[in-house]
Amino acid sequence: MQAVTFTGHGGTDVIEYAEVRDPTVGPEDVLIDVKAGALNHLDVWTRRGLPGLDLKMPHIPGSDGAGVVVETGDRVTRFGEGDRVALSAGVSCGECEFCRDGQAPLCVNYHVIGEHVPGIHAEYAAINQDNLVSVPTGVDWTTAASSTLVFQTAWRMLIDRADISPGESVLVLGASGGVGHAALQIADYAGAEVFATGSSEDKLQYAEAHGADHVVNYEDENFADWIRTETGKRGVDVVVDYIGAGTWRDSIKSLAKGGRLVTCGGTAGPSPQTDIPRIFWNQLSILGSTMATPGQVDDVMALVWDGTFEPAIRAELPMSQTAEAHDYLEGREGFGKVVVRPDSELE
């Protein structure tokens, strides 16, 4: 079969669309005829080589994708041939104290399909049944393939970790990104007053159309100063910051007393300077979050499937052009997700 691969870490020149061995279907695995996949910044970091990441090469990336079941292992009970499914990429052991407590993302052996083990950006993929969700008839493959990772991540960040309430204020940084545009919609759905940042007029218009009450171009104005002005120096209750080093101090500065900063990553750098006196004096909370529990995935995906939430798509490309798809992400072009389809699906 054909698959997106890389045999070493580096720039986009390491990406190939090549012939690889067909996947082996284990007893609890489902073989998927992949109809579409989608990229996340996680794919960029995996390609570059995250610190401590030890991959078996060649590596097939991809933590988002969807398709049709064509074969099932002997112990599969949840799916049958012909079912429509999408990947939910977080893998937990199911046995440690955190898994037993219903907090799978805290699992001591937690890992992510596409990051630590082979992913789904291929013509076929063998995935454990526990890492699949059903896709209703009528949901298009673009939506199915591009939704699960960012919407489950943003849902856990805002609904579980930050525990936002109606009437609270939420600032979403980078509202044009995958997690950002999902957080924007979820904050609006939860009844929050939503502030959003973007780098162009088009991105800000999209943000306003999808839940933002107030927007600012961070290229033209410091967003922390803008927040202080917009809120009468109060600040916001919650900041969603997955950008990291370049925004961290201003994110903390944007918070009201008792506010919460929630993060799931650092696309612009993982080691920011921080303002410890402001944190303790204003009694702020810094909350980390990763992926979601199975129940949280079910809750948020039901709202994607019924159209309440809408994944934005900035581009759709053949998998053979995945290097170009990485360029879209690294260049911050467009709004939302980049979808890739097996070349055989486009013939």
Side-chain angles (χ1 to χ4, degrees), residues 236-260:
V236 296
D237 298 300
V238 175
V239 173
V240 175
D241 185 342
Y242 59 90
I243 298 169
T247 54
W248 195 257
R249 289 181 69 90
D250 281 334
S251 290
I252 291 172
K253 185 180 177 182
S254 299
L255 286 168
K257 288 182 178 292
R260 294 96 76 196

PDB file of all heavy atoms in Angstrom, residues 236-260:
ATOM      1  N   VAL A 236      -9.509  38.608  31.752  1.00  0.00           N
ATOM      2  CA  VAL A 236     -10.465  37.545  31.449  1.00  0.00           C
ATOM      3  C   VAL A 236     -10.332  36.408  32.459  1.00  0.00           C
ATOM      4  O   VAL A 236      -9.318  36.264  33.129  1.00  0.00           O
ATOM      5  CB  VAL A 236     -10.265  36.999  30.018  1.00  0.00           C
ATOM      6  CG1 VAL A 236     -10.552  38.066  28.988  1.00  0.00           C
ATOM      7  CG2 VAL A 236      -8.851  36.436  29.839  1.00  0.00           C
ATOM      8  N   ASP A 237     -11.373  35.600  32.530  1.00  0.00           N
ATOM      9  CA  ASP A 237     -11.371  34.480  33.480  1.00  0.00           C
ATOM     10  C   ASP A 237     -10.481  33.337  33.019  1.00  0.00           C
ATOM     11  O   ASP A 237      -9.862  32.651  33.846  1.00  0.00           O
ATOM     12  CB  ASP A 237     -12.799  33.972  33.681  1.00  0.00           C
ATOM     13  CG  ASP A 237     -13.704  35.027  34.280  1.00  0.00           C
ATOM     14  OD1 ASP A 237     -13.411  35.486  35.401  1.00  0.00           O
ATOM     15  OD2 ASP A 237     -14.686  35.412  33.618  1.00  0.00           O
ATOM     16  N   VAL A 238     -10.428  33.111  31.702  1.00  0.00           N
ATOM     17  CA  VAL A 238      -9.688  31.969  31.159  1.00  0.00           C
ATOM     18  C   VAL A 238      -8.927  32.397  29.913  1.00  0.00           C
ATOM     19  O   VAL A 238      -9.478  33.119  29.065  1.00  0.00           O
ATOM     20  CB  VAL A 238     -10.638  30.796  30.798  1.00  0.00           C
ATOM     21  CG1 VAL A 238      -9.881  29.664  30.120  1.00  0.00           C
ATOM     22  CG2 VAL A 238     -11.361  30.289  32.045  1.00  0.00           C
ATOM     23  N   VAL A 239      -7.680  31.952  29.801  1.00  0.00           N
ATOM     24  CA  VAL A 239      -6.915  32.105  28.572  1.00  0.00           C
ATOM     25  C   VAL A 239      -6.578  30.719  28.040  1.00  0.00           C
ATOM     26  O   VAL A 239      -6.091  29.860  28.783  1.00  0.00           O
ATOM     27  CB  VAL A 239      -5.614  32.900  28.789  1.00  0.00           C
ATOM     28  CG1 VAL A 239      -4.766  32.893  27.516  1.00  0.00           C
ATOM     29  CG2 VAL A 239      -5.912  34.331  29.209  1.00  0.00           C
ATOM     30  N   VAL A 240      -6.850  30.493  26.757  1.00  0.00           N
ATOM     31  CA  VAL A 240      -6.435  29.274  26.060  1.00  0.00           C
ATOM     32  C   VAL A 240      -5.158  29.610  25.293  1.00  0.00           C
ATOM     33  O   VAL A 240      -5.185  30.376  24.331  1.00  0.00           O
ATOM     34  CB  VAL A 240      -7.532  28.789  25.093  1.00  0.00           C
ATOM     35  CG1 VAL A 240      -7.033  27.584  24.290  1.00  0.00           C
ATOM     36  CG2 VAL A 240      -8.806  28.443  25.851  1.00  0.00           C
ATOM     37  N   ASP A 241      -4.037  29.045  25.736  1.00  0.00           N
ATOM     38  CA  ASP A 241      -2.734  29.333  25.128  1.00  0.00           C
ATOM     39  C   ASP A 241      -2.032  28.025  24.810  1.00  0.00           C
ATOM     40  O   ASP A 241      -1.538  27.338  25.696  1.00  0.00           O
ATOM     41  CB  ASP A 241      -1.877  30.178  26.075  1.00  0.00           C
ATOM     42  CG  ASP A 241      -0.560  30.614  25.461  1.00  0.00           C
ATOM     43  OD1 ASP A 241      -0.134  30.013  24.456  1.00  0.00           O
ATOM     44  OD2 ASP A 241       0.069  31.542  25.998  1.00  0.00           O
ATOM     45  N   TYR A 242      -1.999  27.668  23.523  1.00  0.00           N
ATOM     46  CA  TYR A 242      -1.240  26.499  23.087  1.00  0.00           C
ATOM     47  C   TYR A 242      -0.011  26.931  22.280  1.00  0.00           C
ATOM     48  O   TYR A 242       0.627  26.107  21.620  1.00  0.00           O
ATOM     49  CB  TYR A 242      -2.119  25.564  22.246  1.00  0.00           C
ATOM     50  CG  TYR A 242      -2.706  26.203  21.005  1.00  0.00           C
ATOM     51  CD1 TYR A 242      -2.028  26.163  19.796  1.00  0.00           C
ATOM     52  CD2 TYR A 242      -3.932  26.852  21.042  1.00  0.00           C
ATOM     53  CE1 TYR A 242      -2.551  26.758  18.658  1.00  0.00           C
ATOM     54  CE2 TYR A 242      -4.471  27.455  19.913  1.00  0.00           C
ATOM     55  CZ  TYR A 242      -3.767  27.403  18.729  1.00  0.00           C
ATOM     56  OH  TYR A 242      -4.285  27.999  17.603  1.00  0.00           O
ATOM     57  N   ILE A 243       0.323  28.232  22.364  1.00  0.00           N
ATOM     58  CA  ILE A 243       1.416  28.788  21.567  1.00  0.00           C
ATOM     59  C   ILE A 243       2.732  28.744  22.332  1.00  0.00           C
ATOM     60  O   ILE A 243       3.762  28.341  21.805  1.00  0.00           O
ATOM     61  CB  ILE A 243       1.063  30.221  21.124  1.00  0.00           C
ATOM     62  CG1 ILE A 243      -0.187  30.175  20.243  1.00  0.00           C
ATOM     63  CG2 ILE A 243       2.230  30.847  20.362  1.00  0.00           C
ATOM     64  CD1 ILE A 243      -0.797  31.522  19.943  1.00  0.00           C
ATOM     65  N   GLY A 244       2.706  29.168  23.603  1.00  0.00           N
ATOM     66  CA  GLY A 244       3.870  28.945  24.442  1.00  0.00           C
ATOM     67  C   GLY A 244       4.768  30.143  24.626  1.00  0.00           C
ATOM     68  O   GLY A 244       4.338  31.207  25.087  1.00  0.00           O
ATOM     69  N   ALA A 245       6.047  29.984  24.249  1.00  0.00           N
ATOM     70  CA  ALA A 245       7.083  30.942  24.616  1.00  0.00           C
ATOM     71  C   ALA A 245       6.765  32.371  24.192  1.00  0.00           C
ATOM     72  O   ALA A 245       7.018  33.316  24.938  1.00  0.00           O
ATOM     73  CB  ALA A 245       8.424  30.505  24.027  1.00  0.00           C
ATOM     74  N   GLY A 246       6.208  32.548  23.015  1.00  0.00           N
ATOM     75  CA  GLY A 246       5.990  33.891  22.505  1.00  0.00           C
ATOM     76  C   GLY A 246       4.825  34.638  23.128  1.00  0.00           C
ATOM     77  O   GLY A 246       4.703  35.859  22.967  1.00  0.00           O
ATOM     78  N   THR A 247       3.952  33.943  23.840  1.00  0.00           N
ATOM     79  CA  THR A 247       2.721  34.560  24.336  1.00  0.00           C
ATOM     80  C   THR A 247       2.525  34.411  25.845  1.00  0.00           C
ATOM     81  O   THR A 247       1.630  35.038  26.412  1.00  0.00           O
ATOM     82  CB  THR A 247       1.498  33.925  23.639  1.00  0.00           C
ATOM     83  OG1 THR A 247       1.549  32.494  23.807  1.00  0.00           O
ATOM     84  CG2 THR A 247       1.485  34.261  22.159  1.00  0.00           C
ATOM     85  N   TRP A 248       3.335  33.605  26.493  1.00  0.00           N
ATOM     86  CA  TRP A 248       3.072  33.171  27.867  1.00  0.00           C
ATOM     87  C   TRP A 248       2.924  34.317  28.858  1.00  0.00           C
ATOM     88  O   TRP A 248       1.952  34.381  29.626  1.00  0.00           O
ATOM     89  CB  TRP A 248       4.175  32.222  28.313  1.00  0.00           C
ATOM     90  CG  TRP A 248       3.870  31.427  29.536  1.00  0.00           C
ATOM     91  CD1 TRP A 248       4.329  31.651  30.804  1.00  0.00           C
ATOM     92  CD2 TRP A 248       3.034  30.271  29.614  1.00  0.00           C
ATOM     93  NE1 TRP A 248       3.848  30.703  31.664  1.00  0.00           N
ATOM     94  CE2 TRP A 248       3.047  29.836  30.957  1.00  0.00           C
ATOM     95  CE3 TRP A 248       2.288  29.549  28.685  1.00  0.00           C
ATOM     96  CZ2 TRP A 248       2.341  28.723  31.399  1.00  0.00           C
ATOM     97  CZ3 TRP A 248       1.581  28.436  29.114  1.00  0.00           C
ATOM     98  CH2 TRP A 248       1.606  28.039  30.456  1.00  0.00           C
ATOM     99  N   ARG A 249       3.876  35.227  28.875  1.00  0.00           N
ATOM    100  CA  ARG A 249       3.819  36.325  29.841  1.00  0.00           C
ATOM    101  C   ARG A 249       2.592  37.209  29.608  1.00  0.00           C
ATOM    102  O   ARG A 249       1.935  37.645  30.565  1.00  0.00           O
ATOM    103  CB  ARG A 249       5.101  37.157  29.782  1.00  0.00           C
ATOM    104  CG  ARG A 249       6.330  36.448  30.336  1.00  0.00           C
ATOM    105  CD  ARG A 249       7.556  37.333  30.278  1.00  0.00           C
ATOM    106  NE  ARG A 249       7.462  38.447  31.202  1.00  0.00           N
ATOM    107  CZ  ARG A 249       7.896  38.430  32.474  1.00  0.00           C
ATOM    108  NH1 ARG A 249       8.468  37.336  32.957  1.00  0.00           N
ATOM    109  NH2 ARG A 249       7.775  39.493  33.245  1.00  0.00           N
ATOM    110  N   ASP A 250       2.268  37.467  28.350  1.00  0.00           N
ATOM    111  CA  ASP A 250       1.091  38.275  28.058  1.00  0.00           C
ATOM    112  C   ASP A 250      -0.200  37.517  28.370  1.00  0.00           C
ATOM    113  O   ASP A 250      -1.218  38.137  28.717  1.00  0.00           O
ATOM    114  CB  ASP A 250       1.098  38.738  26.602  1.00  0.00           C
ATOM    115  CG  ASP A 250       2.037  39.928  26.382  1.00  0.00           C
ATOM    116  OD1 ASP A 250       2.274  40.674  27.354  1.00  0.00           O
ATOM    117  OD2 ASP A 250       2.526  40.095  25.258  1.00  0.00           O
ATOM    118  N   SER A 251      -0.186  36.203  28.240  1.00  0.00           N
ATOM    119  CA  SER A 251      -1.355  35.411  28.625  1.00  0.00           C
ATOM    120  C   SER A 251      -1.619  35.547  30.117  1.00  0.00           C
ATOM    121  O   SER A 251      -2.761  35.749  30.556  1.00  0.00           O
ATOM    122  CB  SER A 251      -1.143  33.939  28.263  1.00  0.00           C
ATOM    123  OG  SER A 251      -1.162  33.751  26.873  1.00  0.00           O
ATOM    124  N   ILE A 252      -0.572  35.437  30.922  1.00  0.00           N
ATOM    125  CA  ILE A 252      -0.717  35.595  32.371  1.00  0.00           C
ATOM    126  C   ILE A 252      -1.169  37.006  32.708  1.00  0.00           C
ATOM    127  O   ILE A 252      -2.039  37.221  33.568  1.00  0.00           O
ATOM    128  CB  ILE A 252       0.614  35.239  33.063  1.00  0.00           C
ATOM    129  CG1 ILE A 252       0.881  33.733  32.922  1.00  0.00           C
ATOM    130  CG2 ILE A 252       0.601  35.646  34.533  1.00  0.00           C
ATOM    131  CD1 ILE A 252       2.248  33.296  33.387  1.00  0.00           C
ATOM    132  N   LYS A 253      -0.625  37.983  32.011  1.00  0.00           N
ATOM    133  CA  LYS A 253      -0.997  39.375  32.229  1.00  0.00           C
ATOM    134  C   LYS A 253      -2.460  39.628  31.875  1.00  0.00           C
ATOM    135  O   LYS A 253      -3.098  40.545  32.424  1.00  0.00           O
ATOM    136  CB  LYS A 253      -0.091  40.277  31.390  1.00  0.00           C
ATOM    137  CG  LYS A 253      -0.282  41.766  31.593  1.00  0.00           C
ATOM    138  CD  LYS A 253       0.680  42.558  30.717  1.00  0.00           C
ATOM    139  CE  LYS A 253       0.453  44.056  30.845  1.00  0.00           C
ATOM    140  NZ  LYS A 253       1.375  44.829  29.952  1.00  0.00           N
ATOM    141  N   SER A 254      -3.033  38.831  30.975  1.00  0.00           N
ATOM    142  CA  SER A 254      -4.410  39.029  30.515  1.00  0.00           C
ATOM    143  C   SER A 254      -5.451  38.486  31.478  1.00  0.00           C
ATOM    144  O   SER A 254      -6.648  38.744  31.312  1.00  0.00           O
ATOM    145  CB  SER A 254      -4.608  38.353  29.147  1.00  0.00           C
ATOM    146  OG  SER A 254      -3.757  38.903  28.175  1.00  0.00           O
ATOM    147  N   LEU A 255      -5.016  37.728  32.490  1.00  0.00           N
ATOM    148  CA  LEU A 255      -5.962  37.063  33.380  1.00  0.00           C
ATOM    149  C   LEU A 255      -6.463  37.982  34.494  1.00  0.00           C
ATOM    150  O   LEU A 255      -5.710  38.776  35.067  1.00  0.00           O
ATOM    151  CB  LEU A 255      -5.316  35.836  34.018  1.00  0.00           C
ATOM    152  CG  LEU A 255      -5.137  34.621  33.104  1.00  0.00           C
ATOM    153  CD1 LEU A 255      -4.229  33.596  33.757  1.00  0.00           C
ATOM    154  CD2 LEU A 255      -6.495  34.001  32.758  1.00  0.00           C
ATOM    155  N   ALA A 256      -7.733  37.822  34.816  1.00  0.00           N
ATOM    156  CA  ALA A 256      -8.307  38.478  35.985  1.00  0.00           C
ATOM    157  C   ALA A 256      -7.795  37.791  37.248  1.00  0.00           C
ATOM    158  O   ALA A 256      -7.256  36.676  37.199  1.00  0.00           O
ATOM    159  CB  ALA A 256      -9.831  38.396  35.924  1.00  0.00           C
ATOM    160  N   LYS A 257      -7.968  38.419  38.383  1.00  0.00           N
ATOM    161  CA  LYS A 257      -7.614  37.767  39.644  1.00  0.00           C
ATOM    162  C   LYS A 257      -8.389  36.451  39.771  1.00  0.00           C
ATOM    163  O   LYS A 257      -9.582  36.393  39.508  1.00  0.00           O
ATOM    164  CB  LYS A 257      -7.927  38.689  40.825  1.00  0.00           C
ATOM    165  CG  LYS A 257      -6.986  39.878  40.951  1.00  0.00           C
ATOM    166  CD  LYS A 257      -7.329  40.717  42.159  1.00  0.00           C
ATOM    167  CE  LYS A 257      -6.350  41.879  42.316  1.00  0.00           C
ATOM    168  NZ  LYS A 257      -4.991  41.431  42.676  1.00  0.00           N
ATOM    169  N   GLY A 258      -7.675  35.401  40.152  1.00  0.00           N
ATOM    170  CA  GLY A 258      -8.298  34.090  40.258  1.00  0.00           C
ATOM    171  C   GLY A 258      -8.496  33.400  38.920  1.00  0.00           C
ATOM    172  O   GLY A 258      -9.163  32.361  38.849  1.00  0.00           O
ATOM    173  N   GLY A 259      -7.919  33.961  37.847  1.00  0.00           N
ATOM    174  CA  GLY A 259      -8.114  33.406  36.512  1.00  0.00           C
ATOM    175  C   GLY A 259      -7.337  32.126  36.273  1.00  0.00           C
ATOM    176  O   GLY A 259      -6.473  31.723  37.063  1.00  0.00           O
ATOM    177  N   ARG A 260      -7.673  31.477  35.129  1.00  0.00           N
ATOM    178  CA  ARG A 260      -7.050  30.188  34.790  1.00  0.00           C
ATOM    179  C   ARG A 260      -6.457  30.255  33.394  1.00  0.00           C
ATOM    180  O   ARG A 260      -7.128  30.675  32.452  1.00  0.00           O
ATOM    181  CB  ARG A 260      -8.089  29.055  34.799  1.00  0.00           C
ATOM    182  CG  ARG A 260      -8.689  28.754  36.144  1.00  0.00           C
ATOM    183  CD  ARG A 260     -10.020  29.457  36.365  1.00  0.00           C
ATOM    184  NE  ARG A 260     -11.140  28.830  35.655  1.00  0.00           N
ATOM    185  CZ  ARG A 260     -12.312  29.419  35.445  1.00  0.00           C
ATOM    186  NH1 ARG A 260     -12.531  30.654  35.857  1.00  0.00           N
ATOM    187  NH2 ARG A 260     -13.266  28.772  34.799  1.00  0.00           N
TER     188      ARG A 260
END
